[in-house]
């Protein structure tokens, strides 16, 4: 049995977010090239060279993440059967997790290009209901590892601080519009 490894330095989970308006679109559809997020990755260190044209947010301080793909269902009973019938309906897809709030990623980076995700920050993207495109790498951005991409909206930001947790921590949810797209990393060096 092979497990998804997220424990070594080069295979740490990564989440990248860009504005949907900066993503590659062909014939009205997102095509999700990995180069929208990074131009290269290092197979030894797992570090990604961020795309300087789209200025993605690589979410720092990620504590946990859940990739949700919940198919709906419709059930009915018939008088001529002893058991229920069921069919699946459209899936509700989302990413959720918690992260230690980094002021630059949360409020925006004034040194990034104006109008891009990194410049605006997570709070503005969520508050303005800005459509985003994301890439999540469950076992890092090294060659031959699977990544999931999609588009949607940021929601559920709720930064919290307490005496027991003296750093700001926030949940985050990416409400996915439609399906996930699966790809394999091929940009490593």
């Amino acid at each position: 049995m092979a497990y998804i490894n997220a424990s070594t330095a080069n295979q740490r989970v990564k989440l990248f977010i860009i504005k949907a308006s900066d993503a590659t679109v062909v014939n009205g559809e997102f095509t999700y090239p990995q180069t929208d997020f990074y131009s290269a990755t290092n197979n030894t260190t797992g570090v990604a060279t961020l795309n300087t044209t789209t200025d993605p947010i690589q979410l720092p301080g990620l504590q946990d993440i859940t990739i949700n793909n919940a198919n709906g269902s419709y059930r009915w009973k018939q008088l001529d059967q002893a058991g229920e019938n069921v069919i699946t309906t459209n899936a509700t897809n989302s990413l959720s997790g918690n992260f230690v709030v980094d002021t630059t990623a949360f409020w925006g980076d004034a040194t990034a290009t104006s109008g891009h995700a990194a410049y605006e920050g997570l709070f503005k993207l969520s508050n303005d209901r800005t459509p985003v495109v994301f890439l999540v790498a469950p076992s890092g951005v090294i060659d031959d590892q699977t990544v999931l991409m999609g588009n949607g909206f940021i929601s559920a930001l709720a930064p919290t601080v307490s005496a027991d947790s003296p750093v700001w921590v926030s949940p985050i949810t990416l409400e996915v519009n439609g399906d996930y797209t699966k790809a394999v990393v091929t940009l490593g060096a």
Side-chain angles (χ1 to χ4, degrees):
M1 177 179 281
Y3 296 97
I4 298 174
N5 185 357
S7 63
T8 62
N10 65 340
Q11 291 186 303
R12 296 239 161 61
V13 178
K14 292 182 176 39
L15 176 60
F16 302 90
I17 301 169
I18 62 173
K19 290 176 71 173
S21 59
D22 292 330
T24 302
V25 176
V26 175
N27 297 325
E29 299 288 328
F30 292 109
T31 58
Y32 304 116
Q34 294 168 48
T35 52
D36 276 358
F37 305 95
Y38 45 81
S39 57
T41 62
N42 184 306
N43 286 329
T44 304
T45 64
V47 173
T49 303
L50 298 181
N51 180 320
T52 56
T53 304
T54 60
D55 275 340
I57 295 170
Q58 181 179 345
L59 189 62
L62 195 59
Q63 293 182 307
D64 60 76
I65 192 162
T66 301
I67 300 169
N68 182 23
N69 173 248
N71 287 314
S73 62
Y74 177 76
R75 294 182 174 273
W76 74 96
K77 298 173 185 168
Q78 294 178 197
L79 295 174
D80 62 344
Q81 293 178 340
E84 279 189 340
N85 295 298
V86 64
I87 57 171
T88 60
T89 60
N90 295 346
T92 299
N93 296 322
S94 65
L95 291 177
S96 61
N98 293 286
F99 66 101
V100 177
V101 175
D102 171 81
T103 56
T104 303
F106 196 78
W107 299 114
D109 182 353
T111 66
T113 305
S114 178
H116 294 290
Y119 180 83
E120 294 188 0
L122 294 170
F123 180 80
K124 183 169 176 40
L125 294 173
S126 177
N127 193 55
D128 292 353
R129 296 187 265 326
T130 304
V132 297
V133 173
F134 66 88
L135 180 148
V136 61
S139 53
V141 287
I142 58 176
D143 279 352
D144 301 323
Q145 297 301 311
T146 298
V147 295
L148 293 175
M149 295 167 278
N151 70 87
F153 297 88
I154 298 171
S155 71
L157 294 177
T160 304
V161 69
S162 70
D164 293 331
S165 174
V167 294
W168 286 88
V169 177
S170 179
I172 185 171
T173 298
L174 288 165
E175 301 291 351
V176 180
N177 182 16
D179 296 324
Y180 292 109
T181 298
K182 185 178 97 171
V184 175
V185 178
T186 58
L187 297 172

